[in-house]
């Protein structure tokens, strides 16, 4: 049986029409679920008894189970259990501009990035739409506050679960749902080129971040297997095409890994690679994990790298660190839970 939180407003309208009912009930039900936050369909008091029992026959309203919340000053990490016993994580961050949540898109990941805890473990399955929507709903409820920004940067490769992730965006963006503005939504990919092209035509203005992590194929091949399928000379034309279509500034994420991609030459090469593009580069201090050998670049060397980019007029920031004390590296909490 399908979960009610899998449905976009459009899906719901079609459902009501297909069942000989009226389209406007979809907006009513959407508001019950996402604004008034009812837990069972019976509480939708402006729907008829017959309609309620029809909906209950066709859909369930099951939620996820929060099995652990780790709290720090401005960050909280949630471990969820899914109905089949699998675990995923989401991270809540308190910024001065609002609160953002980093959601997972898959159980595990097949991209195999060498430095990543999630990639160390194979993909078990894609997340269903409701499993992403409920990460947001349940965190809002636990927190008692609205989430203003959402990034799909947790466990998984969102462009390997493209259709569900786009439906998720459609639901949380809907003015009758959570109404989170598209410009407050971001999806991050390791560089699945066919989906980057498809995403350029997605109707909502969701931001795109690319996990670049290297200025050339030689380094990128060593740490990111996806680069063998879609090397830099294939990735970058797709990104330029994306920009020409959407006019939206790109974000490049660049994890600083000691002695791998953090030299001054690498910084110079990175400048050449992105020259002329409307983009910004986010330097990320690597979150070391027990299971992986990579080390983080020290702060002095990160600053040197940053300065080279600045000097070349590249817009660059160093990511503020959240949750170093609470296993916030992507996939760490899930690994601990399952003792792998
Ligand atoms: N698969 C997508 C989204 C999930 S990973 C992607 O690759 O973009 C989200 C980001 O966290 C990516 O930039 C990833 O490279 C980075 N990341 C993974 N492990 C990390 C770690 N231990 N420390 C810091 N960043 C990490």
């Amino acid at each position: 049986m399908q979960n009610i939180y899998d449905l976009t407003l459009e899906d719901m309208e079609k459902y009501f029409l297909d069942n000989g009912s009226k389209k406007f009930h979809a907006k009513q039900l959407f508001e019950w679920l996402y604004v008034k936050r009812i837990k069972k369909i019976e509480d939708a008091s402006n729907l008829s008894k017959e309609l309620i029992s029809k909906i209950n026959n066709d859909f369930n309203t099951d939620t996820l189970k929060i099995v652990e919340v780790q709290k720090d000053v401005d960050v909280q990490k949630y471990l969820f259990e899914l109905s089949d016993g699998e675990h995923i994580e989401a991270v809540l961050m308190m910024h001065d501009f609002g609160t953002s949540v980093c959601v997972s898109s898959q159980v595990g990941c097949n991209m195999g990035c060498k430095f990543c805890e999630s990639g160390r473990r194979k993909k078990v399955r894609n997340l269903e739409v409701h499993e992403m929507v409920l990460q947001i709903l349940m965190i809002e409820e636990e927190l008692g506050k609205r989430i203003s920004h959402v990034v799909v940067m947790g466990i998984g490769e969102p462009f390997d679960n493209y259709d569900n992730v786009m439906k998720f965006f459609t639901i949380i963006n809907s003015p009758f749902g959570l109404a989170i503005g598209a410009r407050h939504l971001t999806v991050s990919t390791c560089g699945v080129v066919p989906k980057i092209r498809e995403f350029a035509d997605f109707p909502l203005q969701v931001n795109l971040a690319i996990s670049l992590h290297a200025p050339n194929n030689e380094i990128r091949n060593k740490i990111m297997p996806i680069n063998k399928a879609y090397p830099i000379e294939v990735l970058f034309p797709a990104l330029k095409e994306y920009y020409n279509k959407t006019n939206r500034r790109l974000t490049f994420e660049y994890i600083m890994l000691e002695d791998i991609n953090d030299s001054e030459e690498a910084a110079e090469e990175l400048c050449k690679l992105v020259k002329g593009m409307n983009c910004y580069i986010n330097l990320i201090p690597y979150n070391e994990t027990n299971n992986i050998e990579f080390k983080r670049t020290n702060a002095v060397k990160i600053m040197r790298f940053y300065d080279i980019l600045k000097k070349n007029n590249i817009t660059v920031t160093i990511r503020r660190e959240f949750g170093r004390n609470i296993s916030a590296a992507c996939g760490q909490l899930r690994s601990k839970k399952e003792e792998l």
Side-chain angles (χ1 to χ4, degrees), residues 212-231:
L212 186 60
H213 307 330
N216 59 40
N217 286 329
E218 198 196 332
I219 300 177
R220 205 161 189 262
N221 281 337
K222 280 190 199 144
I223 53 177
M224 299 179 73
I226 187 80
N227 199 62
K228 302 214 170 96
Y230 306 112

Side-chain angles (χ1 to χ4, degrees), residues 73-315:
V73 186
D74 46 13
V75 60
Q76 300 193 12
K77 183 140 182 166
Y78 294 79
L79 185 70
F80 292 99
E81 191 170 295
L82 311 177
S83 57
D84 59 357
E86 293 293 344
H87 292 98
I88 51 159
E89 301 166 25
V91 182
L92 166 79
M93 288 158 284
M94 280 77 140
H95 308 270
D96 41 12
F97 57 78
T99 51
S100 72
V101 171
C102 173
V103 305
S104 292
S105 58
Q106 297 180 316
V107 180
C109 182
N110 272 348
M111 299 299 121
C113 298
K114 296 284 194 292
F115 46 79
C116 177
E117 182 64 25
S118 303
R120 205 169 57 81
R121 317 194 30 208
K122 284 275 152 282
K123 174 170 100 177
V124 178
R125 64 175 177 85
N126 281 332
L127 290 192
E128 305 277 327
V129 176
H130 72 271
E131 291 169 328
M132 292 182 266
V133 171
L134 283 162
Q135 291 174 57
I136 307 293
L137 286 177
M138 295 181 70
I139 290 178
E140 282 198 346
E141 186 174 308
E142 197 271 341
L143 188 69
K145 248 202 220 159
R146 295 300 309 268
I147 304 301
S148 61
H149 292 68
V150 173
V151 295
V152 187
M153 285 189 194
I155 301 171
E157 168 48 50
F159 281 2
D160 187 35
N161 185 16
Y162 184 84
D163 293 344
N164 286 350
V165 171
M166 295 307 125
K167 267 200 172 192
F168 161 68
F169 282 138
T170 305
I171 291 171
I172 65 174
N173 172 255
S174 168
F176 301 94
L178 295 175
I180 305 176
R183 287 189 174 81
H184 287 191
L185 306 175
T186 301
V187 61
S188 174
T189 179
C190 63
V192 184
V193 166
K195 294 299 170 188
I196 293 173
R197 294 189 189 280
E198 201 173 330
F199 182 66
D201 294 319
F202 183 61
L204 305 181
Q205 303 202 334
V206 174
N207 300 300
L208 179 62
I210 304 291
S211 295
L212 186 60
H213 307 330
N216 59 40
N217 286 329
E218 198 196 332
I219 300 177
R220 205 161 189 262
N221 281 337
K222 280 190 199 144
I223 53 177
M224 299 179 73
I226 187 80
N227 199 62
K228 302 214 170 96
Y230 306 112
I232 303 238
E233 66 277 13
V234 174
L235 175 61
F236 273 69
L239 295 178
K240 283 172 191 164
E241 214 172 279
Y242 164 86
Y243 178 77
N244 290 336
K245 267 194 188 167
T246 63
N247 245 334
R248 294 203 292 273
R249 185 166 79 163
L250 279 163
T251 302
F252 287 110
E253 295 158 271
Y254 196 102
I255 299 182
M256 302 292 297
L257 299 165
E258 187 180 71
D259 294 337
I260 304 282
N261 64 357
D262 60 352
S263 67
E264 294 181 21
E265 297 79 64
E268 299 283 357
E269 211 174 340
L270 181 59
C271 293
K272 286 200 192 100
L273 184 62
V274 304
K275 202 164 189 64
M277 292 175 82
N278 183 4
C279 66
Y280 100 94
I281 297 185
N282 200 203
L283 299 178
I284 306 171
Y286 179 60
N287 238 318
E288 291 175 8
T289 103
N290 291 336
N291 308 305
I292 303 175
E293 286 307 297
F294 291 96
K295 293 272 167 283
R296 66 160 49 201
T297 301
N298 69 47
V300 174
K301 215 166 166 195
I302 294 181
M303 274 318 291
R304 204 173 298 150
F305 199 96
Y306 172 91
D307 286 340
I308 294 173
L309 269 68
K310 270 271 177 220
K311 244 179 251 147
N312 282 276
N313 295 319
I314 311 279
T315 313

